[in-house]
Amino acid sequence: MSAFIKKNKIFLALSFLIPLLIMAINFAFLDIYWGSDTTVLAGDAYHQYVAFHSLFSHILHNDSGFFYTFTSGLGLNFLSFSSYYLGSFLMPLTYFFDASNMPDCLYLLTLLKFGLIGLSSFSAFKNMYLSLSNWLILSLSSAYTLMSFIVNQSEIIMWLDVFIWIPLIIWGLHSLMDKQKRTLYFVSLTLLFIQNYYFGFMLAIFLTGYFFARLTFNGWSLSKLIDFAITSILSGIASLIMILPMYLDLKANGEAFSKVNARYTENAWYFDIFAKNFISSYDTTQYGAVPTIYIGLLTFLLAVLFFATKTIRLRTKFAFLSLIAFIITSFYLRPLDLFWQGMHTPNMFLHRYSFVFSILIVIMAAETLTRLSEIRLRWLIFLSLLMITGFTATVLSKHYNYITSLNISLTILFGIAYLIILIANRKNWLTTKQVPIFMMIFMLVEIGINTSYQLNGISDEWHYSSRNSYDENTKKILPAAKVAMTDKTFYRMDETHPDTANDGMKFGYHSLSQFSSVRNRKSSSTLNLLGFRSDGTNLNLRYPLNTVLMDSIFGIRYNLNTREADKYGFSATGTPHLSENSYALAPAIFVENGYFDVKLKDKKIVANQTAFVNQLAGTSSTFFSQFYTDSEKTNAKITGGNDRITLTQKGKDEMTLSYTVTAPANGQAYLKFADVTYENTDAEYIKVTINNIENAQTQSLYINTYDTGSLINLGYFETASKVEITLDFPQNKFINFDTTEFWSLNTKIYSSVINKLKETPVTVKQIKNGLRAAVKTKTTGDLFLSIPYDKGWTAKVDGKIVPIKQAQTGFMKVPLSSIGTHQIELNFIPQGFKIGILCFISAIFLFVIYNKKKHTSLN
């Protein structure tokens, strides 16, 4: 290896620097650079990845443990979460950043990862194709690194590491097949599985097909098949250190398989392959996308010429053609498309396995380059005309509105240039040293232009956020988070108008909200029934718009409240906009005589909350009373039926709906506004104006009803008060929602019940990957924990292990079978982790023995 580095050090450096610089220059054209006013945070990078990286940095600094975090969704299996979102050997670099400057960290990591992809692909291709000049290898590695798929996913930084490992895995597979050297394949494949099981699954399918296709070069070999199978299986077993805990977590909390409800994929069309091989072709990364397969026009042409070579046997050509056909067929057939993606429909970023097409194309291009002298001029002309016909038919079909005259012009110009270079090579118009240099120059210019248009497409669709917006929210939230984090006992904080659902992760405070593909669906489903929005697949869990009763039960001691009306029991602190809830309970509540599940019904939030709290407190209180409107009016046409209301715009004025009510005394008032559907899906929000007629105070706020619960807080009223509530529906011609309801929480009853629960106080403190609680009981009972139920938890009461039981489906309870003072400790080790460690060690041990035995037999 040292000899390889010494011999190729200049090109190794170029392979790292060229993609890094191309990305940096194109980012700069978008005004993105270190410390720039525009950040690299687009879409999920803003709402998820900057928060996840900030949390990782927080853990490194505070040693809170890598198994569990309380910063999201009441609590989350962090190891399983990391296996999907944070699998990167570059993560330790986050130590030098925090939430305030994490956008610069993501910018740096993005560039470094592109550089490392270039470096690994150059190293792999050079060792796989020794006869090719370094200029050609550099061209291929740059084309691979800046393929449209990778550039399109640049905002999803977690996926980039996958493409660092893939060239090394394929190089390792070649070494296994050709030289019986299997260490690189085993190590790199294991690391990929550990870092990203999702893409590892897709690559495993591809590797199986590619192995059999490549096996045809030298003919059938049972020994190679056995070698490949054993090494791959041992790699899979070693990766169980991460995959087993992840699998068990997904089994308990994941989504059901998507149903195969159609034969064909949506929006598939005849010329998709050609449409996405036009230079600078970009449609979307949201829904309705055509597979992203561009890897360079010359690379595509060379891959086609693979079938015109003489020394590649017909059986090999057929094998590679079959593998390509299988991948392309998967783009069109819904069952195969789902199969590649683990039988789960992606949430945007469709056809996530399409990168395997690009990988196969670049490999075939490399095989062609090693045999370029075999390509006869007639075959070059014929196959070029075949490609021209495909591109022409694509344009004439007029099906792809994103194919513009610019895409056509660029493709024609570069196509002519490449054709001339290939003809010049065949006619010896250029020397053997000049051809690779000309190819490289044109390829780098081409992929540089394509990269620019891909990043501009991301910018238009997902919008790179401004530094000012990020900093403004950081400066607002960070002081409040510090107050919550310095609280000596364990409580939670949430925001009534959050910047993102993952602010808890970003700033390190204990939070209920969550936006993550890895989540505890049992707890989220239960919370949804209790008024915290988390419907569908529970991808989102949202805190805003619920009652103070739930604030107390789930330990929401602090609110960052910049817009919502006053909340009973919350008083101002010395930190701007931060209020403290005097009625917040610890995340552990002692329940006399034990907790027994109550039946929670869909859409019955008020009834569910009442039954739930009464079971915890051992009471039969009526917390809520419904009150009715004094008058209501609207400028829209109103129709309805089956407890649904539809408003339809009459004229040009925006629709409004107004209520006048008398809010009861000593009550926290709420308007239930639920299950809204809009005519304009780009304007799924309402403007709420609350006018307290008694004291002439008016408050307005905008509510995105997709991201909130359904109980709009109207404020706390000490005396009966006349209130006018106006709902505006901007940019919508009609809107449909459940019949509205007005509810008042009796604060005297509420405070009485919460104080009863406080009579047996529980103090809770966080420890590494767990909690420690103390309580003094006068009766036996259960300690109800508002922490998501997970089989990875173990509990000790006074030093003795006791069973943890499931409570209300999503939560936990620990039995306290004796009276007196108790010390309870909960520790979390992901289910399957210990077995995974054993598998990891055993697989490495078996591989070492197997590898040594095979090496000895060769000698």
Side-chain angles (χ1 to χ4, degrees):
M1 182 59 72
S2 59
F4 172 78
I5 294 173
K6 186 176 181 180
K7 185 178 179 181
N8 300 283
K9 59 184 178 182
I10 294 176
F11 284 92
L12 287 168
L14 287 174
S15 70
F16 177 82
L17 290 173
I18 285 174
L20 185 152
L21 289 173
I22 288 175
M23 288 296 294
I25 290 168
N26 281 300
F27 274 140
F29 283 133
L30 293 168
D31 294 322
I32 300 172
Y33 46 87
W34 184 274
S36 60
D37 291 334
T38 304
T39 71
V40 76
L41 308 180
D44 285 349
Y46 187 93
H47 292 278
Q48 291 186 306
Y49 306 122
V50 71
F52 302 162
H53 284 71
S54 296
L55 174 60
F56 197 93
S57 174
H58 181 79
I59 293 172
L60 289 176
H61 282 277
N62 294 278
D63 194 30
S64 54
F66 286 99
F67 287 160
Y68 205 82
T69 179
F70 295 100
T71 60
S72 180
L74 299 180
L76 181 67
N77 181 334
F78 187 73
L79 187 74
S80 180
F81 175 86
S82 298
S83 69
Y84 186 81
Y85 281 114
L86 298 174
S88 173
F89 58 86
L90 294 177
M91 285 305 295
L93 289 177
T94 60
Y95 180 88
F96 302 101
F97 299 84
D98 58 22
S100 62
N101 57 9
M102 195 56 70
D104 288 324
C105 179
L106 265 65
Y107 171 77
L108 174 64
L109 290 176
T110 300
L111 295 183
L112 287 176
K113 289 183 181 185
F114 271 92
L116 290 171
I117 294 170
L119 181 62
S120 74
S121 56
F122 178 88
S123 302
F125 294 154
K126 183 60 182 175
N127 281 279
M128 289 159 58
Y129 303 102
L130 294 172
S131 63
L132 293 182
S133 75
N134 282 336
W135 298 109
L136 289 176
I137 295 295
L138 186 60
S139 301
L140 292 173
S141 69
S142 298
Y144 167 81
T145 305
L146 294 170
M147 71 167 86
S148 284
F149 185 94
I150 299 178
V151 176
N152 279 184
Q153 318 309 324
S154 58
E155 61 149 312
I156 308 180
I157 196 170
M158 66 172 179
W159 289 353
L160 295 181
D161 290 77
V162 170
F163 300 95
I164 299 173
W165 295 113
I166 286 176
L168 302 178
I169 293 168
I170 294 174
W171 171 20
L173 180 59
H174 281 218
S175 297
L176 181 148
M177 297 180 72
D178 300 340
K179 303 174 184 178
Q180 288 74 55
K181 294 182 179 180
R182 54 197 65 80
T183 301
L184 176 61
Y185 177 71
F186 174 80
V187 172
S188 56
L189 186 61
T190 300
L191 288 172
L192 173 64
F193 283 151
I194 289 174
Q195 285 196 0
N196 196 303
Y197 67 88
Y198 184 52
F199 275 80
F201 172 76
M202 300 176 204
L203 189 67
I205 298 172
F206 171 75
L207 287 173
T208 302
Y210 179 64
F211 170 81
F212 283 106
R214 194 170 186 277
L215 197 61
T216 61
F217 275 111
N218 297 314
W220 174 257
S221 171
L222 181 61
S223 63
K224 288 183 181 181
L225 175 59
I226 294 172
D227 200 10
F228 169 71
I230 291 176
T231 307
S232 300
I233 290 170
L234 288 174
S235 174
I237 294 172
S239 64
L240 287 176
I241 189 173
M242 186 65 82
I243 291 179
L244 183 59
M246 173 280 305
Y247 167 75
L248 293 173
D249 186 61
L250 284 180
K251 184 179 179 182
N253 299 302
E255 302 172 34
F257 289 149
S258 299
K259 294 181 179 179
V260 182
N261 49 18
R263 180 178 298 177
Y264 301 107
T265 57
E266 294 182 17
N267 301 298
W269 192 248
Y270 300 108
F271 305 111
D272 289 353
I273 301 301
F274 288 98
K276 291 307 282 284
N277 271 295
F278 275 94
I279 298 172
S280 302
S281 164
Y282 181 93
D283 56 345
T284 178
T285 56
Q286 298 183 10
Y287 295 108
V290 171
T292 304
I293 54 175
Y294 170 90
I295 195 168
L297 190 60
L298 179 59
T299 315
F300 188 33
L301 176 59
L302 289 169
V304 174
L305 291 173
F306 173 90
F307 299 100
T309 56
K310 285 187 174 182
T311 55
I312 296 178
R313 292 184 174 93
L314 185 61
R315 68 189 184 199
T316 302
K317 293 174 183 176
F318 180 77
F320 274 79
L321 184 62
S322 298
L323 183 54
I324 291 174
F326 176 70
I327 296 170
I328 292 175
T329 303
S330 301
F331 295 154
Y332 290 88
L333 296 182
R334 171 76 170 162
L336 286 178
D337 184 67
L338 279 176
F339 171 70
W340 279 95
Q341 298 166 114
M343 299 308 294
H344 285 91
T345 302
N347 182 26
M348 294 185 277
F349 298 97
L350 308 181
H351 311 291
R352 296 182 180 182
Y353 58 93
S354 59
F355 69 91
V356 301
F357 179 91
S358 300
I359 291 171
L360 189 58
I361 291 298
V362 77
I363 290 173
M364 292 169 64
E367 295 287 351
T368 301
L369 284 172
T370 62
R371 302 167 175 84
L372 198 56
S373 60
E374 301 175 16
I375 306 298
R376 296 290 178 260
L377 189 59
R378 64 178 180 272
W379 277 107
L380 175 60
I381 300 300
F382 173 74
L383 291 176
S384 296
L385 288 174
L386 195 64
M387 287 183 61
I388 291 169
T389 302
F391 281 116
T392 302
T394 304
V395 174
L396 294 178
S397 72
K398 297 182 179 180
H399 181 79
Y400 306 94
N401 56 13
Y402 52 87
I403 303 298
T404 65
S405 57
L406 176 65
N407 304 119
I408 298 168
S409 300
L410 287 171
T411 304
I412 291 173
L413 288 173
F414 278 94
I416 292 171
Y418 293 135
L419 195 56
I420 291 171
I421 292 172
L422 290 172
I423 293 173
N425 174 70
R426 185 63 194 161
K427 294 291 187 178
N428 295 319
W429 296 343
L430 296 171
T431 67
T432 55
K433 290 184 178 181
Q434 290 174 332
V435 170
I437 294 174
F438 273 98
M439 282 185 176
M440 186 202 69
I441 291 171
F442 278 93
M443 285 182 73
L444 290 183
V445 173
E446 178 197 344
I447 60 178
I449 293 171
N450 184 74
T451 298
S452 175
Y453 280 89
Q454 302 308 306
L455 292 179
N456 274 280
I458 293 171
S459 179
D460 292 340
E461 264 197 314
W462 296 101
H463 311 294
Y464 291 107
S465 69
S466 71
R467 177 86 55 171
N468 287 338
S469 174
Y470 184 87
D471 288 348
E472 181 182 345
N473 284 293
T474 299
K475 290 174 182 176
K476 179 182 70 176
I477 300 170
L478 193 54
K482 287 181 178 178
V483 172
M485 287 187 293
T486 54
D487 198 312
K488 293 181 180 180
T489 50
F490 185 107
Y491 287 98
R492 299 184 174 106
M493 182 180 103
D494 249 298
E495 305 164 58
T496 60
H497 190 79
D499 181 31
T500 76
N502 291 313
D503 285 347
M505 285 188 167
K506 187 188 297 184
F507 299 103
Y509 62 81
H510 305 142
S511 173
L512 181 145
S513 294
Q514 182 182 67
F515 170 38
S516 168
S517 294
V518 179
R519 64 277 192 197
N520 190 307
R521 295 193 64 200
K522 290 185 174 67
S523 61
S524 294
S525 299
T526 304
L527 288 167
N528 184 60
L529 293 171
L530 292 170
F532 298 104
R533 188 182 182 107
S534 183
D535 50 11
T537 61
N538 308 112
L539 185 69
N540 291 280
L541 172 60
R542 306 291 182 167
Y543 167 77
L545 300 197
N546 206 349
T547 68
V548 293
L549 184 59
M550 292 297 97
D551 283 335
S552 296
I553 296 301
F554 289 101
I556 309 296
R557 183 163 185 167
Y558 299 99
N559 255 186
L560 189 62
N561 186 352
T562 57
R563 299 187 184 183
E564 195 171 322
D566 291 339
K567 300 172 74 171
Y568 179 79
F570 284 79
S571 56
T573 65
T575 303
H577 309 298
L578 184 69
S579 56
E580 185 173 356
N581 181 11
S582 59
Y583 290 101
L585 297 169
I589 301 170
F590 178 69
V591 181
E592 294 182 3
N593 304 316
Y595 181 86
F596 299 94
D597 289 357
V598 296
K599 187 175 179 60
L600 304 180
K601 299 178 181 178
D602 189 35
K603 294 189 176 185
K604 301 294 182 181
I605 295 172
V606 170
N608 290 344
Q609 291 186 11
T610 300
F612 177 51
V613 177
N614 276 331
Q615 174 58 220
L616 287 169
T619 57
S620 55
S621 302
T622 301
F623 297 100
F624 297 92
S625 61
Q626 190 170 2
F627 62 102
Y628 301 92
T629 61
D630 299 328
S631 64
E632 60 181 275
K633 60 181 179 180
T634 180
N635 64 351
K637 179 183 177 182
I638 184 168
T639 54
N642 297 321
D643 296 323
R644 297 283 289 175
I645 300 294
T646 299
L647 297 182
T648 306
Q649 190 177 33
K650 285 183 179 179
K652 294 183 179 180
D653 294 337
E654 289 186 341
M655 292 186 296
T656 64
L657 176 62
S658 297
Y659 300 97
T660 302
V661 298
T662 302
N666 298 311
Q668 185 78 39
Y670 298 97
L671 163 62
K672 185 180 180 184
F673 186 73
D675 291 341
V676 193
T677 57
Y678 297 84
E679 169 265 332
N680 181 6
T681 55
D682 291 327
E684 293 186 328
Y685 65 94
I686 62 172
K687 178 185 178 183
V688 181
T689 303
I690 304 168
N691 178 21
N692 189 328
I693 299 173
E694 304 291 334
N695 58 20
Q697 288 185 346
T698 301
Q699 186 173 21
S700 295
L701 64 154
Y702 287 88
I703 296 174
N704 185 334
T705 55
Y706 178 78
D707 287 338
T708 59
S710 58
L711 293 169
I712 299 173
N713 176 26
L714 304 178
Y716 166 63
F717 299 93
E718 193 170 336
T719 60
S721 303
K722 285 277 186 181
V723 183
E724 184 179 62
I725 304 100
T726 303
L727 308 180
D728 291 278
F729 311 101
Q731 303 176 52
N732 274 280
K733 293 181 180 179
F734 68 82
I735 185 171
N736 186 260
F737 49 90
D738 285 351
T739 303
T740 53
E741 300 172 0
F742 288 90
W743 293 90
S744 178
L745 171 67
N746 187 310
T747 54
K748 290 186 175 180
I749 296 175
Y750 157 69
S751 57
S752 173
V753 171
I754 298 301
N755 286 331
K756 181 180 185 299
L757 287 169
K758 284 186 173 185
E759 289 176 359
T760 308
V762 185
T763 58
V764 179
K765 294 183 180 180
Q766 183 179 355
I767 59 175
K768 188 173 183 178
N769 298 312
L771 292 175
R772 186 174 290 129
V775 62
K776 185 177 181 180
T777 64
K778 297 179 181 178
T779 66
T780 60
D782 289 333
L783 198 63
F784 179 92
L785 300 157
S786 59
I787 297 169
Y789 175 78
D790 193 299
K791 291 183 179 180
W793 284 107
T794 57
K796 289 182 179 180
V797 176
D798 302 326
K800 296 180 180 179
I801 294 177
V802 297
I804 294 177
K805 297 182 179 179
Q806 204 165 354
Q808 208 59 58
T809 305
F811 306 112
M812 302 187 293
K813 61 183 180 181
V814 176
L816 300 179
S817 55
S818 61
I819 300 171
T821 302
H822 300 290
Q823 300 294 326
I824 303 98
E825 185 169 310
L826 285 91
N827 291 283
F828 185 84
I829 298 177
Q831 186 186 11
F833 182 70
K834 292 179 180 178
I835 297 175
I837 291 176
L838 181 61
C839 291
F840 177 74
I841 295 171
S842 300
I844 291 176
F845 177 73
L846 290 172
F847 173 75
V848 170
I849 294 175
Y850 172 72
N851 192 38
K852 186 176 181 179
K853 183 178 179 181
K854 295 291 287 186
H855 181 72
T856 303
S857 65
L858 286 174
N859 295 332

